[in-house]
């Protein structure tokens, strides 16, 4: 295990909740598990894909990505934020 991996594992234990790298996010995102990051928090939006006002494609094609800037620019509702 590299020093970076050890540091990440220590941080995960310290925080008490999962910490994901960009590579983790990409690897875990799939057609059945739609994950995306907004402001350094990862969200599983899988159950919302078919209800998303912007359409299913908007979420699925951005799965595994940090969508922070796009999320802010679109002007999401308070409930979405």
């Amino acid at each position: 295990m590299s020093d970076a991996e050890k540091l990440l594992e220590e941080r995960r234990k310290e925080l008490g909740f999962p910490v994901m790298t960009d590579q983790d996010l990409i690897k875990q995102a799939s057609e059945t598990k739609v994950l995306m990051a907004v402001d350094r928090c990862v969200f599983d939006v899988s159950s919302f894909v078919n209800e998303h006002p912007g359409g299913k494609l908007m979420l699925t094609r951005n799965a595994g990505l940090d969508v922070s800037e796009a999320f802010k620019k679109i002007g999401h509702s308070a409930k979405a934020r």
Side-chain angles (χ1 to χ4, degrees):
M1 183 180 283
S2 71
D3 288 342
E5 290 171 322
K6 288 177 188 175
L7 183 61
L8 181 59
E9 194 57 38
E10 287 174 20
R11 188 74 173 135
R12 286 178 172 144
K13 289 177 184 175
E14 177 184 309
L15 291 172
F17 56 83
V19 175
M20 298 179 82
T21 64
D22 291 342
Q23 292 80 16
D24 292 334
L25 179 61
I26 292 166
K27 187 176 8 176
Q28 290 188 32
S30 66
E31 285 194 30
T32 57
K33 191 171 187 180
V34 183
L35 302 176
M36 52 188 53
V38 177
D39 292 333
R40 300 181 66 176
C41 292
V42 175
F43 295 91
D44 182 346
V45 296
S46 304
S47 63
F48 183 64
V49 168
N50 293 321
E51 299 170 29
H52 185 255
K56 178 179 182 173
L57 185 60
M58 185 64 64
L59 295 180
T60 55
R61 78 170 163 204
N62 289 295
L65 301 176
D66 182 334
V67 296
S68 301
E69 292 304 315
F71 185 85
K72 292 172 191 171
K73 286 180 184 177
I74 296 298
H76 282 87
S77 67
K79 184 177 180 181
R81 287 179 263 146

